[in-house]
Structure formats: structure tokens, C-alpha cells
Amino acid sequence: MVNPMTEREKFISDIEAFIADTGVAATEFGRLTMNDKKFVGRLRAGSDVRLDTVERVRRFMTDYRARQTHPSRRVEARAVA
């Protein structure tokens, strides 16, 4: 029987896919989302993450992709408040 991915594993997988798809470096991703260049490295190493952090990061990824698909909205990525 195959074990389903945990929510944490899915979250990290989504971040890894975002980084691969967009070309944003892991350190830059951490800086933009959490003002923490080591954010992704800590997740990869097993650090826990709070629900509000997950929501904040997912909102950033959604907003970033929306800006990239609408040329009139292409703006330099900004940190999520």
C-alpha cells in the first residue's frame, strides 16, 4: 500500500515545483515570502511550519503566477504582507 503524502510533504512539493517552474532561487523565494533566505532550507531539513505560514506562502505563489500570466500585471515580485 502506498502511503499518501502528508500535508507538510505536499506543501514542500508545491514549493519545489514553484521554484522549478519559475526559476526563482530557493533563497529568493524565502526572502520574498518570509523575509528569510533560509526558509526553504529549513523546510527541506524537517522544520515544522505553521498554518498561517502555509497560507501566506500559498497566497504568494498564486499571486506571483497570476502576475506572470497577465503581462499588464507583471511587476517585480514583492514580499507578501
Side-chain angles (χ1 to χ4, degrees), residues 12-37:
I12 294 170
S13 176
D14 291 346
I15 291 172
E16 297 290 1
F18 177 89
I19 288 169
D21 292 347
T22 62
V24 173
T27 53
E28 181 67 1
F29 180 86
R31 186 187 69 76
L32 291 170
T33 58
M34 302 302 299
N35 199 29
D36 177 3
K37 290 182 177 184

Side-chain angles (χ1 to χ4, degrees), residues 52-75:
D52 62 325
T53 300
V54 172
E55 292 169 352
R56 178 177 175 175
V57 170
R58 289 199 184 282
R59 186 172 52 251
F60 169 83
M61 292 189 293
T62 299
D63 292 348
Y64 185 95
R65 285 186 169 126
R67 283 192 305 271
Q68 299 308 307
T69 58
H70 296 90
S72 63
R73 292 184 182 173
R74 279 191 188 168
V75 204

